[in-house]
Amino acid sequence: QWYQRRVHKQWYQRRVQVCERSERQDSQKDSNMENKEEIQEAGKEELAEEMSQMDIKVKVNRFDSVASVDETDAIKIGKHQLFASHQHHPVKHVEFDEEIVKPGPEADLTAEETIMKNMVTIDNGDVYKSAFPKRGLCLVIENDMFSTNLGLSKRKGSSIDRMLMIKTFTRLEFEVRVYQNLSSKDIERALEKASLEDHSKHEMFAVVILSHGNEGILYGYDSAYPAHKIWEPFTADKCPSLIGKPKMFFLQACQGSKMDHGVPVKASHGRTSTDSFASYRTPLHADFLLAHSTVAGYYSWRNTVQGSWFIQVLGSALLTNYADQDVLTILSKVQRCGY
């Protein structure tokens, strides 16, 4: 019994020592964890401060450190994508002191600004050359009748427009070529043939379109064709003899199905009808001028007896003012006439 009590006492003492040692280790671990958390918190604060400073430097120097290159907006610069940060971070509103910039004297212009100023200054020499022996070609492409498969009405009054355009451009000393009720393929062939001719002795080039159309298309006798087919053959790469010369396109048709009611006016003689035309982007080609009979999305009005309003005003304005006014000024007058 004495031996058993002794063994039991020794076992109990070792058990107590093990428990005390375990408690000390746990206490030490908790202390270490607290120290680590304090170190991590301090490190986070230091890192946030460094990142804030780096962010400021990036915002200030991002564009200064990138070479000047003409590219699209929001491109990637290095590993950073411009404007991408707005998708992840809230917008910070920063107030700046108001700064009034007054134009300085011309002596303060940089070399690049001086070059730009000289390039955009308008003088008497900024006109197209007129020292060519011929004025140029004018193609009048009219479609007033269409295949029954298309379900399009006859364009009554279109012949009045055609005769006025022939008279106008003949008076302007153009060589006028008239095409009536051609199929879509034949219209494209006629335009392509004209683009392949030598225009080196011509001052300019003109096309008049009189037809139906719809969103993004024009109509030939048998089918529709893309509106850009009208001017596409005359770009600089396809018609080099017209480089640097005016290429004018006058389009009588609608650009959509909306109705522009305008203001009330007294009824005139004859019935009014509408053309349908294409909505498209104006091409960014040098020396191209496109005059539309209406704005995008709307009908273009045509009187069945007197012809279309746009073409009638255009022809009259050209005949009246061509001797002493430029084309853009004449077109501005046409627009203000409220045809």
Side-chain angles (χ1 to χ4, degrees):
Q1 292 177 355
W2 173 83
Y3 177 76
Q4 290 178 349
R5 286 196 299 270
R6 184 179 179 182
V7 171
H8 180 73
K9 183 178 181 180
Q10 290 177 350
W11 175 84
Y12 179 77
Q13 290 175 345
R14 286 198 297 271
R15 180 65 179 172
V16 170
Q17 291 175 354
V18 170
C19 291
E20 290 177 349
R21 188 164 53 249
S22 176
E23 289 178 356
R24 287 196 300 269
Q25 290 177 352
D26 292 342
S27 176
Q28 187 176 2
K29 288 182 179 179
D30 293 340
S31 178
N32 291 338
M33 288 294 293
E34 292 177 357
N35 292 336
K36 287 182 179 179
E37 290 178 356
E38 292 177 357
I39 294 173
Q40 289 177 353
E41 290 295 332
K44 287 181 180 180
E45 292 178 358
E46 293 178 359
L47 180 61
E49 184 177 358
E50 292 178 1
M51 290 299 292
S52 177
Q53 294 176 357
M54 290 175 61
D55 188 41
I56 292 173
K57 291 180 180 179
V58 169
K59 288 180 180 178
V60 172
N61 299 324
R62 175 175 289 173
F63 294 101
D64 295 339
S65 61
V66 179
S68 176
V69 180
D70 290 333
E71 292 184 345
T72 58
D73 293 335
I75 61 172
K76 290 185 177 180
I77 298 179
K79 296 181 180 179
H80 304 283
Q81 185 171 4
L82 298 185
F83 314 124
S85 60
H86 297 291
Q87 300 173 3
H88 308 288
H89 305 288
V91 178
K92 296 181 179 180
H93 297 280
V94 181
E95 295 183 358
F96 296 94
D97 294 334
E98 183 177 358
E99 181 181 0
I100 300 177
V101 180
K102 297 182 180 180
E106 293 188 4
D108 295 340
L109 296 178
T110 64
E112 291 79 5
E113 291 172 339
T114 302
I115 294 174
M116 178 63 71
K117 178 178 180 295
N118 294 334
M119 184 168 58
V120 300
T121 300
I122 299 175
D123 55 37
N124 294 331
D126 286 324
V127 294
Y128 288 105
K129 294 181 180 179
S130 59
F132 295 95
K134 297 181 180 180
R135 183 77 73 190
L137 295 180
C138 175
L139 309 183
V140 178
I141 302 176
E142 180 202 21
N143 283 88
D144 63 346
M145 298 182 66
F146 303 89
S147 172
T148 55
N149 296 330
L150 299 178
L152 298 174
S153 61
K154 182 178 179 180
R155 298 182 62 254
K156 297 180 180 180
S158 181
S159 60
I160 306 299
D161 293 339
R162 181 185 73 248
M163 291 186 291
L164 178 59
M165 291 293 97
I166 294 173
K167 174 184 177 182
T168 299
F169 284 94
T170 300
R171 180 79 62 85
L172 297 176
E173 300 180 355
F174 280 83
E175 177 186 337
V176 180
R177 299 177 185 175
V178 181
Y179 301 92
Q180 291 181 265
N181 297 320
L182 296 182
S183 66
S184 297
K185 288 296 182 182
D186 287 340
I187 291 174
E188 294 180 22
R189 292 191 188 99
L191 292 167
E192 184 178 2
K193 180 180 178 181
S195 69
L196 296 176
E197 296 185 28
D198 182 12
H199 300 270
S200 58
K201 295 183 179 181
H202 297 169
E203 290 183 3
M204 59 190 70
F205 178 79
V207 175
V208 178
I209 299 294
L210 310 171
S211 183
H212 278 310
N214 213 316
E215 296 289 337
I217 58 175
L218 292 168
Y219 279 100
Y221 176 79
D222 59 340
S223 63
Y225 60 94
H228 63 81
K229 292 291 186 179
I230 295 296
W231 55 79
E232 198 173 56
F234 304 98
T235 55
D237 57 334
K238 297 178 180 178
C239 188
S241 60
L242 282 177
I243 291 178
K245 299 177 181 179
K247 294 168 279 289
M248 302 177 293
F249 300 83
F250 303 95
L251 310 175
Q252 165 56 40
C254 299
Q255 298 190 51
S257 58
K258 294 181 182 179
M259 196 75 69
D260 186 353
H261 297 285
V263 295
V265 295
K266 294 182 179 180
S268 58
H269 297 289
R271 184 172 56 84
T272 300
S273 182
T274 61
D275 295 325
S276 297
F277 177 54
S279 178
Y280 55 86
R281 295 181 180 179
T282 302
L284 300 178
H285 304 321
D287 310 304
F288 274 74
L289 184 149
L290 282 82
H292 304 178
S293 58
T294 186
V295 297
Y298 284 84
Y299 280 114
S300 179
W301 293 98
R302 169 177 41 82
N303 186 276
T304 58
V305 174
Q306 299 173 351
S308 63
W309 299 350
F310 169 65
I311 292 297
Q312 292 300 311
V313 176
L314 173 66
S316 179
L318 287 172
L319 291 174
T320 303
N321 302 292
Y322 77 91
D324 54 6
Q325 298 292 338
D326 61 87
V327 174
L328 292 180
T329 301
I330 295 174
L331 288 177
S332 297
K333 182 63 176 179
V334 171
Q335 189 272 335
R336 289 195 299 269
C337 285
Y339 54 82

